[in-house]
Amino acid sequence: MIKPFSIDLSVDVGGLKLRNPVMPASGTFAEGLDKVIDFNRLGAFVTKTVTRELRAGNPLPRVVERPGSLINAIGIPSKGVPHFIEKIIPQYAAYEPPLVVSISAPTAEGFASLAAELTLPGVSAIEANISCPNIEEDGKAFAMRPESAEKVTRQLRAATKLPLWVKLTPNTGDIAEVARATEAAGADAVVVANTFLSMAIDLKTFKPCLGNVMGGLSGPAIKPIVLRQVFQCAKAIKIPVIGCGGISTAEDAIEYMLAGASAVQVGTATFLQPAAMISVIDGIEMFCLQREISRVTDLVHGVVIEEADDQDLAWLSPPT
Amino acid sequence: MSLDHPSHQMQPAVTPPASPHAPWKPSIVAELAKVVANTAVNAEYRHLVVDCSEVAASAQPGQFFQLLCPHPAGEQPFLRRPMSLYGADPATRQVEFLYKVTGAGTRGLDMIKSGEHLDIMGPLGTGFTLDPKWRHIVAVGRGAGLATLAPLAKAAKASGTKVTAIFSARRPELLVSVDLFKEHGAEVVPVTDSEQTSGPGNVERILRGLIAQDKCDAFFTCGSSRLMRVQQRLAIEFGLPGQVAMEQQMACGIGLCYCCVRDFNVGGEIVNRRVCWDGPVFDLLEALP
């Protein structure tokens, strides 16, 4: 007789309880996906980034493919806050998973006012996409430097009582330092990371492949780099880390959890396999069953690093 | 610029979202389909037929699929490739595509042998709508657009609507879909560059003749901006409706990524729509080349 063995897939991410650790990455998810997957199976919903200003998005072409990866420069098309509140938020009311709203603004003050305005019934958490350019700092992304990341997080923290997730950029020298700054400023969790600033040139025309010249690299090609960043951040901070970068399979997600991620976001993989998130959830459960791991949280920080090796790896997170 | 979602007069091509309390069922699927045939039909086009699920085989004219193409030697097509539906049969549970080998994705498709499997995703997008009041419609296509228009022949026959198809190609031997349209009782008028019959002037002359004979209750078109403009002019002049299937580079194919947007003129206002989700079939008069 088979011993009944049920897996507890639930996780707590910065004050938000999720039925499982799998959710979409912002910008790769919309209401229409409910024709392909059962929304009630997801750990959470994460919206496309909403901005206060109306944004048309970037000139075309907006995407170009490279081996194992995609470069996009969509440009965050946004229909503004009233449209978001009236049309987008209610579409998720009938479903069980919590709604995480991704926001962006060109100033710290803009971030705070947007977070305050979107602290509404039906919204379960705010994900601040601070990888966008800061117009008060010559267009450098907020998350490129600890000081600007701390400032915007502090203002966000004062503006909302909702769980506050801060989405970091991988385009920075010391991401663990930036993660520490957002923790100190009151973030409840960090999302590590976003796309890598990148470029592609067409050899027929000598022109950039993207209308915006540069774009963000995503897909399986970036996974090992972001995995390293998740590992570094998880060692540096106590708040949960949400891993996001090139996850296509349950194995990818489990690697991220072993590196220290409490939950994961699946993005580009959904473009190739629209039910990728469901396969990741099922695969994690199957893995836990096979390894007799009763709670998925037991995987978090599960990477085994021998004591001596840990010393050798000290350079990975230099003392502050 | 307004980014408003359009309000379609057309029927939604996919079922509305199920109530969360009803058992959930997908209306779009990604599945491994068994290839039944993958053969050349002329010097440029290949015909691909696959066995598929009931959901995939329910595809409507004008809808499309996203194909995950095998990697040809030395190339790695990362994204799926959008492919117009050439035919769908719910009874035999098959869908058909017509493609021209032009890039890494279609070079990959070209390698597939019958009996092998191909990952297909669909049916996608909003397709053509046939109004039962129309007695006679006109389909105008060029190049790959002929494949996109093909499923209309069968659908029109089923609703008792007559079809005249004006099909344009560089040379007569490159025309596709002609036999398929004729099989379904349509009249086909081929026009070609090599015979110097494919210019907008001649197509306009043919269309005016059809309108005069009361054989054009609506325009359906795909594959040529020049021919689309001719039909737009005539649609305005004679107060006729029309639909156009449009193309754009795509990534997700299901409305998530906003890479395939185009501008449309809706009552004088320019609005931005996703070809994969709001289209690929749009109102003829709203389309911009």
Side-chain angles (χ1 to χ4, degrees):
Chain A
M1 189 177 151
I2 301 161
K3 191 173 70 175
F5 193 82
S6 79
I7 309 297
D8 179 4
L9 287 178
S10 69
V11 294
D12 188 314
V13 184
L16 192 60
K17 192 97 172 141
L18 311 182
R19 71 175 57 202
N20 66 59
V22 181
M23 66 189 102
S26 177
T28 65
F29 180 76
E31 312 81 72
L33 199 61
D34 75 343
K35 300 188 188 312
V36 197
I37 61 170
D38 180 355
F39 273 8
N40 282 329
R41 294 213 50 207
L42 299 177
F45 301 124
V46 183
T47 65
K48 283 178 88 74
T49 298
V50 61
T51 62
R52 188 171 296 288
E53 66 277 13
L54 299 178
R55 296 172 57 98
N58 284 330
L60 272 59
R62 291 179 172 185
V63 296
V64 58
E65 61 179 12
R66 282 295 178 259
S69 64
L70 180 69
I71 310 177
N72 88 79
I74 305 292
I76 312 185
S78 172
K79 296 180 199 172
V81 180
H83 176 270
F84 189 82
I85 292 173
E86 287 156 32
K87 298 278 162 64
I88 305 296
I89 294 175
Q91 290 182 335
Y92 296 99
Y95 299 104
E96 292 157 24
L99 181 66
V100 180
V101 170
S102 170
I103 63 168
S104 187
T107 63
E109 180 51 44
F111 261 106
S113 82
L114 195 49
E117 195 175 340
L118 288 166
T119 300
L120 294 169
V123 177
S124 299
I126 300 285
E127 179 180 286
N129 177 11
I130 64 167
S131 312
C132 61
N134 176 359
I135 60 169
E136 294 165 334
E137 255 203 346
D138 201 23
K140 288 194 181 70
F142 293 89
M144 277 175 71
R145 297 191 312 114
E147 297 76 21
S148 47
E150 180 163 358
K151 184 185 169 200
V152 67
T153 307
R154 210 171 282 290
Q155 295 210 27
L156 278 161
R157 180 69 290 166
T160 183
K161 287 193 168 61
L162 287 174
L164 173 63
W165 300 356
V166 177
K167 184 164 175 175
L168 306 185
T169 178
N171 305 307
T172 179
D174 186 351
I175 196 170
E177 197 54 35
V178 178
R180 249 189 232 113
T182 59
E183 180 184 43
D188 293 305
V190 289
V191 180
V192 178
N194 209 316
T195 56
F196 286 80
L197 195 58
S198 54
M199 190 171 173
I201 299 172
D202 185 332
L203 294 192
K204 281 196 206 91
T205 61
F206 285 19
K207 287 180 183 168
C209 296
L210 294 171
N212 190 53
V213 181
M214 291 180 283
L217 186 77
S218 64
I222 72 168
K223 196 198 81 181
I225 311 177
V226 183
L227 186 75
R228 177 268 297 176
Q229 294 186 322
V230 163
F231 176 70
Q232 289 177 308
C233 289
K235 277 170 65 115
I237 58 178
K238 292 191 176 64
I239 56 173
V241 174
I242 300 158
C244 177
I247 296 173
S248 310
T249 64
E251 288 75 14
D252 296 336
I254 292 161
E255 245 188 294
Y256 267 98
M257 297 189 80
L258 293 174
S262 299
V264 294
Q265 296 186 342
V266 178
T268 304
T270 300
F271 295 174
L272 301 190
Q273 289 299 349
M277 286 186 282
I278 304 300
S279 337
V280 171
I281 296 165
D282 290 343
I284 292 173
E285 186 170 28
M286 187 56 70
F287 180 87
C288 291
L289 269 171
Q290 285 167 348
R291 300 290 288 259
E292 299 199 1
I293 294 163
S294 59
R295 292 171 310 183
V296 76
T297 50
D298 291 346
L299 290 169
V300 181
H301 291 292
V303 61
V304 177
I305 295 174
E306 302 296 336
E307 200 62 27
D309 291 345
D310 210 9
Q311 300 272 315
D312 296 340
L313 291 173
W315 61 273
L316 284 174
S317 50
T320 49
Chain B
M1 176 184 283
S2 161
L3 294 162
D4 276 354
H5 194 284
S7 55
H8 283 287
Q9 315 94 317
M10 294 173 238
Q11 289 296 307
V14 279
T15 52
S19 140
H21 304 294
W24 180 86
K25 268 190 182 167
S27 52
I28 296 171
V29 291
E31 63 186 27
L32 281 179
K34 190 176 174 188
V35 174
V36 178
N38 186 17
T39 48
V41 293
N42 62 29
E44 286 190 341
Y45 284 89
R46 295 180 63 84
H47 183 209
L48 175 68
V49 184
V50 302
D51 286 334
C52 62
S53 67
E54 192 180 349
V55 174
S58 70
Q60 299 296 307
Q63 286 194 295
F64 71 101
F65 281 72
Q66 285 261 75
L67 309 183
L68 197 58
C69 303
H71 290 187
E75 294 178 292
Q76 298 184 48
F78 180 70
L79 295 168
R80 286 177 182 263
R81 295 298 193 262
M83 193 66 67
S84 293
L85 180 74
Y86 181 63
D89 190 338
T92 58
R93 288 203 186 168
Q94 286 186 335
V95 287
E96 300 174 49
F97 307 97
L98 209 58
Y99 66 95
K100 186 171 157 181
V101 178
T102 55
T106 43
R107 274 192 288 277
L109 280 186
D110 188 29
M111 308 186 315
I112 306 175
K113 295 180 177 61
S114 59
E116 293 179 344
H117 286 81
L118 171 67
D119 188 328
I120 68 169
M121 167 182 156
L124 301 169
T126 305
F128 294 110
T129 309
L130 278 171
D131 187 327
K133 289 200 299 284
W134 295 332
R135 285 165 297 115
H136 203 129
I137 60 168
V138 173
V140 182
R142 182 170 167 93
L146 303 183
T148 309
L149 293 168
L152 268 180
K154 189 173 157 190
K157 192 184 181 190
S159 72
T161 307
K162 289 200 169 63
V163 182
T164 303
I166 301 173
F167 282 176
S168 173
R170 279 180 288 123
R171 299 190 304 275
E173 65 272 23
L174 297 178
L175 284 162
V176 290
S177 304
V178 173
D179 294 342
L180 188 143
F181 267 76
K182 285 182 176 166
E183 267 170 43
H184 290 105
E187 186 191 346
V188 180
V189 184
V191 293
T192 62
D193 301 356
S194 61
E195 298 163 312
Q196 295 179 321
T197 49
S198 60
N202 189 46
V203 172
E204 179 168 345
R205 190 186 57 76
I206 299 167
L207 287 170
R208 283 186 182 276
L210 291 168
I211 294 167
Q213 294 167 57
D214 202 15
K215 284 183 173 176
C216 181
D217 294 330
F219 294 104
F220 290 82
T221 192
C222 183
S224 164
S225 293
R226 290 197 309 169
L227 297 181
M228 180 181 83
R229 280 197 293 270
V230 169
Q231 292 167 86
Q232 286 176 324
R233 259 204 334 274
L234 294 173
I236 292 167
E237 184 178 335
F238 293 96
L240 296 167
Q243 295 165 32
V244 56
M246 306 202 79
E247 290 189 336
Q248 192 66 288
Q249 183 203 20
M250 290 181 188
C252 74
I254 43 175
L256 311 179
C257 71
Y258 285 77
C259 90
C260 66
V261 295
R262 287 185 80 117
D263 287 341
F264 292 84
N265 180 347
V266 180
E269 191 189 359
I270 301 299
V271 302
N272 213 232
R273 287 172 176 169
R274 292 164 289 184
V275 172
C276 76
W277 190 254
D278 305 316
V281 175
F282 295 93
D283 188 293
L284 176 65
L285 292 180
E286 292 177 353
L288 296 171

